[in-house]
Amino acid sequence: MTSPIIIAATAASMALFAAPAADRLPGVQPAAADCSDAARRVIAETGGELLSAQPRNGVCVVTVLVPGKGNARPRKITVRVPME
């Protein structure tokens, strides 16, 4: 059976040595960086359908599926938009 003292000591040591929060580290971008505006612009410019929008190294990587002309197949286009 585990002693309550051991559990308390383990919990206390984990709290003391936990990694700092990401929002406190310099140069770290939050995971919830927003690329929705960039995605809207790319969709409006291309007339395509959004496949993905991901933040990477200070840019939004937006991938859209653009309808083909006539009987042509749709094309997948990836656009890099600087984050604002």
Side-chain angles (χ1 to χ4, degrees):
M1 182 152 73
T2 306
S3 166
I5 295 173
I6 294 174
I7 294 172
T10 303
S13 67
M14 289 173 69
L16 288 174
F17 299 109
D23 60 347
R24 296 183 191 149
L25 295 175
V28 174
Q29 210 170 32
D34 192 12
C35 288
S36 60
D37 289 338
R40 281 189 201 101
R41 277 186 294 189
V42 172
I43 290 169
E45 291 171 4
T46 62
E49 179 182 336
L50 180 66
L51 295 177
S52 69
Q54 301 173 346
R56 275 197 199 134
N57 300 326
V59 297
C60 290
V61 180
V62 181
T63 304
V64 294
L65 193 61
V66 178
K69 295 178 183 174
N71 290 335
R73 294 178 58 190
R75 295 173 294 139
K76 185 169 105 173
I77 297 176
T78 301
V79 180
R80 287 172 173 72
V81 181
M83 285 186 151
E84 296 175 357

